Amino acid sequence: MSTVQLFRTGDTPLPDVIILTHKLTREYDMGSELVRALRGVSVQIQKNEYVAVMGPSGSGKSTLMNLIGCLDTPTSGEYWLNGQKVSDLADDELARIRNKEIGFVFQTFNLLPRADALHNVELPLIYAGLSARNRRERAAHALQRVGLGDRMDHKPNELSGGQRQRVAIARALVNEPSILLADEPTGNLDSTTSSEIMDVFRELHHQGQTVVMVTHEQDIAAHAARVITLRDGLVATDQARAA
Amino acid sequence: MPFYEAFRLAIQTIRAQKLKSSFSLLGVFVGVSSLIASCSIANGVDRYMTEKFAQTLYGVNTFQLRRQPMFVPNVPDSVWRAWRRRPRIRFSDADAITKGLTVPVITAWQSSDQVTVTFANKEARDIELTAASERYFDIKNLDIVIGRPFTGEENRSGVPVAVLGDAVSKRLFADRPPLGRSVRIGGVPYRVIGVVAHQGSLMGFPLDRFVVVPALSPAQNLVNPPGILDAFLVKAHSDLEMREAMSQAEGIMRSRRHLRPKQDNNFVLDTSEGIQRFWAGISNILNTVIPGIVVVSLVIGGIVIMNIMLMAVAERTREIGLRKSLGARRRDVLRQFLAESTAIAAVGAVLGIIAGIGLTLLINKLSPLPASVSPTSVVFGALMGAGVGIVFGVYPATRAARLDPIAALRQE
């Protein structure tokens, strides 16, 4: 693992650091009690890393995932994404960041059931404001990248679980995001299909894609080059694995 | 996301959910189609009243000298009784006016009442018997298809000849030729010399149940005392000349009746203006009441759309969460749902316009009401329909736009 910047409040991350969180906290006011889901998480993830985030349920990994994915804002601390401080951005700016910088892959695929594969992959490009022709070209290209070039006009219910997840990956890639953010990407898949998807992730990683994957499965996390474990809202371990 | 994308998306969604969408556009559909149909009826009746009705009852550029107005809605009893005490119009009044007018006009005497007309053992009841002079046919634009009208000579000498309305002729003679046969009116035989073309009905009143006979023929006794007229009809070439003739006739009558300058006329010079003014009143009421009813039904339609859209937002929470996670801003989601409700309402409005026009044509065909499509109501309907979609779409769309993406994505 390369050098880690000693980050202090007021600093700017080094150019190669895609994700930098500094003393990130997130608290939920549940009325009767204050839930402290994150209690000061500082991690740095560099370009083209393949990182798995692990931890038992309640460890704060979903909360961290939401913050990294710009779906949520921290209670305190800093979050820098691709050289931009995003921890204090407003709603619409976060939407723009999600659109440009982040490619989500969900456990339940989250495809639109009535739209075919091509249209599903096109979705982020609509919000990026691309023309219809441009969108179609790029969506088709993304589908070819995940090996579904011949399934573009299939609706989700005409595809297998693995194929659906690959459509979702193509959708995540189509905007050429800084990070691919996967939340239990194999949670709904059998083991053969799971390893297929892991192959896709490895291939993307080889092509230079930064991948962050949240999982609670040890053997899935084993595909990553670095594993960060959370416990009780703090980083418990942060280990690079021998490739 | 630009607007056209939002609309494309909306149309896709609507097409994917045909049944649900058709339910939600029902309200607007009914509202708009009833708006157009009812405005068309009002509009058609309006045109009918101003064009045909007035002409049929009075004739073009024609006024009638009468004891009291022919068409009098809502007159208090006291006024009515005062009218009944006025002197009647006499033959001699008509002659004096005919002689006194300097404007070129044609004139006719007219007295009418309901009688029974018989032929052999056949009977036609409640027939309007009109004792008139020969120019009556010209003034009333009666088109004689069989035979001829009676002449001035026949009128003056009171020859018992009759011109029948189409319905009377059909009733008494069926398919036999009526000319030359004798019908009995008040016990006196009248020779049929002509039949007037079929005129149909006016607002449901049959126009063909009449007989016209010479004013001085024996039937005069059936309708009025000797020397008395119901009306003296004067037709001029233009509106201007009619007004001139009216003021001359007024002067002649006032001097004949020895009215002092401060005394009111004890006769009327009746034109179609009165009935048109009366109709304008009804028309005003219709034109305020109908839009009111329609607005109520459109509001109901809007509430239906709002409910369906709220349901759609609830059902598609996950989709909204997904779209947000993929970069949809609040306004993108807002637009998407607003476009959907507007498109539903617009489709409803378009179908409503088509149905409204269809309904209008149908009413025209099948009922005595003369409906004609009112272009304003079409424009109004289209605007209202789309407006309903926007107004009632705002709340559900705002709810959708405000959804928290994390919570939305988590929803099952």
Side-chain angles (χ1 to χ4, degrees):
Chain A
M1 204 173 152
S2 54
T3 51
V4 172
Q5 182 187 6
L6 219 72
F7 190 87
R8 278 185 296 261
T9 309
D11 286 355
T12 317
L14 296 171
D16 260 5
V17 177
I18 289 274
I19 290 172
L20 185 148
T21 70
H22 181 63
K23 294 180 181 169
L24 212 56
T25 73
R26 181 67 171 96
E27 295 166 356
Y28 298 100
D29 190 354
M30 304 297 275
S32 55
E33 53 172 339
L34 195 69
V35 178
R36 301 172 72 194
L38 291 184
R39 299 191 292 163
V41 172
S42 301
V43 292
Q44 292 183 25
I45 295 171
Q46 301 202 314
K47 198 163 277 181
N48 197 23
E49 273 199 84
Y50 187 173
V51 181
V53 177
M54 294 196 69
S57 60
S59 62
K61 64 182 194 302
S62 292
T63 306
L64 182 62
M65 161 94 186
N66 288 337
L67 287 172
I68 289 176
C70 290
L71 291 165
D72 197 6
T73 45
T75 309
S76 71
E78 287 179 35
Y79 171 29
W80 293 74
L81 177 63
N82 201 16
Q84 191 183 359
K85 192 176 174 187
V86 296
S87 40
D88 47 10
L89 289 183
D91 226 46
D92 279 356
E93 289 163 312
L94 286 177
R96 196 179 55 82
I97 297 285
R98 290 196 293 270
N99 186 246
K100 288 182 58 148
E101 306 283 356
I102 298 162
F104 285 98
V105 177
F106 302 95
Q107 178 177 0
T108 50
F109 322 138
N110 277 332
L111 300 175
L112 296 185
R114 289 188 302 270
D116 61 20
L118 190 70
H119 184 79
N120 266 295
V121 176
E122 264 183 64
L123 269 182
L125 300 176
I126 293 180
Y127 298 113
L130 265 67
S131 74
R133 227 186 86 210
N134 218 329
R135 286 200 310 252
R136 241 187 314 279
E137 269 170 25
R138 283 179 60 173
H141 179 69
L143 278 169
Q144 277 153 9
R145 264 181 88 182
V146 297
L148 286 177
D150 54 343
R151 293 280 194 281
M152 291 193 215
D153 52 352
H154 285 52
K155 298 246 169 89
N157 60 7
E158 298 160 348
L159 297 170
S160 71
Q163 286 170 331
R164 285 183 212 180
Q165 193 58 300
R166 278 193 279 167
V167 172
I169 294 168
R171 181 180 63 194
L173 292 174
V174 75
N175 255 355
E176 288 159 14
S178 309
I179 53 168
L180 189 67
L181 193 54
D183 184 8
E184 306 276 7
T186 58
N188 276 17
L189 300 173
D190 59 48
S191 54
T192 354
T193 328
S194 292
S195 71
E196 239 179 77
I197 295 299
M198 284 304 105
D199 289 347
V200 174
F201 274 40
R202 183 170 45 238
E203 179 56 29
L204 293 171
H205 177 230
H206 280 317
Q207 288 167 11
Q209 181 68 50
T210 310
V211 180
V212 178
M213 176 171 71
V214 173
T215 182
H216 65 272
E217 288 175 71
Q218 201 70 53
D219 49 340
I220 293 298
H223 287 90
R226 176 181 166 197
V227 179
I228 297 171
T229 317
L230 293 183
R231 187 160 293 126
D232 297 330
L234 288 166
V235 176
T237 62
D238 185 348
Q239 294 169 320
R241 287 177 55 260
Chain B
M1 179 162 62
F3 274 112
Y4 72 90
E5 290 285 0
F7 271 100
R8 226 173 55 165
L9 196 60
I11 298 295
Q12 277 171 7
T13 311
I14 290 168
R15 280 171 59 181
Q17 308 187 327
K18 285 188 191 72
L19 187 68
K20 195 191 286 176
S21 305
S22 60
F23 274 124
S24 48
L25 55 80
L26 205 62
V28 173
F29 170 77
V30 170
V32 170
S33 58
S34 60
L35 167 79
I36 289 174
S38 50
C39 283
S40 299
I41 292 170
N43 182 49
V45 174
D46 207 32
R47 278 178 50 187
Y48 205 72
M49 288 305 270
T50 48
E51 288 166 18
K52 196 168 173 197
F53 195 74
Q55 287 178 21
T56 311
L57 280 180
Y58 290 87
V60 192
N61 299 327
T62 300
F63 70 87
Q64 304 186 355
L65 171 67
R66 289 175 165 271
R67 178 166 64 160
Q68 67 198 59
M70 172 160 65
F71 194 77
V72 279
N74 306 324
V75 178
D77 269 5
S78 56
V79 175
W80 184 258
R81 278 196 296 273
W83 282 349
R84 303 301 293 185
R85 284 196 299 271
R86 288 175 168 185
R88 309 231 18 199
I89 308 298
R90 311 193 64 85
F91 291 179
S92 52
D93 295 328
D95 285 336
I97 291 170
T98 310
K99 285 200 188 76
L101 289 181
T102 59
V103 179
V105 293
I106 57 173
T107 62
W109 301 3
Q110 188 208 327
S111 294
S112 301
D113 206 348
Q114 304 285 315
V115 297
T116 299
V117 180
T118 59
F119 171 72
N121 58 353
K122 283 192 177 165
E123 214 176 50
R125 289 172 182 278
D126 297 326
I127 303 304
E128 174 147 296
L129 169 68
T130 297
S133 57
E134 72 281 1
R135 301 307 292 271
Y136 179 79
F137 300 98
D138 298 329
I139 291 176
K140 288 279 186 161
N141 257 325
L142 294 178
D143 185 18
I144 293 175
V145 282
I146 307 172
R148 58 171 182 89
F150 49 79
T151 63
E153 183 55 42
E154 282 168 323
N155 181 46
R156 278 186 290 279
S157 41
V159 179
V161 290
V163 174
L164 306 184
D166 181 61
V168 180
S169 165
K170 288 217 171 83
R171 172 86 181 86
L172 296 180
F173 299 108
D175 292 330
R176 280 178 290 178
L179 289 188
R181 296 181 192 272
S182 274
V183 294
R184 282 186 170 272
I185 303 169
V188 178
Y190 275 73
R191 187 163 53 88
V192 177
I193 59 167
V195 177
V196 173
H198 176 76
Q199 296 188 89
S201 63
L202 187 70
M203 316 277 302
F205 299 108
L207 291 176
D208 297 310
R209 297 167 60 83
F210 66 89
V211 173
V212 186
V213 299
L216 295 173
S217 68
Q220 161 75 18
N221 300 328
L222 294 175
V223 287
N224 266 327
I228 301 295
L229 284 173
D230 279 350
F232 179 54
L233 280 50
V234 180
K235 180 186 169 89
H237 294 303
S238 66
D239 186 63
L240 201 70
E241 290 188 353
M242 179 188 83
R243 297 202 179 275
E244 173 60 24
M246 276 172 83
S247 80
Q248 289 179 5
E250 187 181 6
I252 293 165
M253 280 306 289
R254 286 185 68 86
S255 87
R256 281 179 64 80
R257 297 221 167 145
H258 312 292
L259 295 175
R260 287 189 297 276
K262 280 191 179 158
Q263 274 182 298
D264 288 334
N265 287 346
N266 55 4
F267 54 90
V268 292
L269 298 166
D270 204 14
T271 64
S272 60
E273 251 171 44
I275 193 170
Q276 285 183 12
R277 211 174 308 124
F278 170 72
W279 170 250
I282 295 181
S283 167
N284 272 341
I285 294 167
L286 287 182
N287 284 332
T288 39
V289 170
I290 291 171
I293 295 166
V294 167
V295 164
V296 169
S297 66
L298 280 176
V299 166
I300 294 168
I303 291 170
V304 170
I305 288 181
M306 187 163 77
N307 267 303
I308 300 238
M309 290 312 294
L310 283 173
M311 252 167 65
V313 171
E315 266 172 22
R316 281 150 64 190
T317 301
R318 251 184 113 84
E319 179 194 324
I320 296 162
L322 171 73
R323 287 180 183 276
K324 285 198 149 186
S325 74
L326 297 180
R329 292 160 302 176
R330 282 186 176 195
R331 78 184 84 135
D332 293 322
V333 177
L334 188 83
R335 270 182 199 175
Q336 181 188 341
F337 281 87
L338 214 50
E340 212 166 289
S341 61
T342 308
I344 288 173
V347 171
V350 167
L351 294 179
I353 287 170
I354 294 169
I357 292 173
L359 212 57
T360 304
L361 298 178
L362 211 65
I363 288 169
N364 219 351
K365 262 243 150 74
L366 302 182
S367 83
L369 288 172
S372 100
V373 176
S374 129
T376 0
S377 74
V378 173
V379 174
F380 190 64
L383 290 178
M384 287 296 290
V388 160
I390 293 171
V391 169
F392 289 91
V394 165
Y395 175 62
T398 312
R399 289 249 311 230
R402 287 210 183 123
L403 282 176
D404 170 27
I406 300 169
L409 272 172
R410 215 183 285 132
Q411 216 211 30
E412 286 308 313

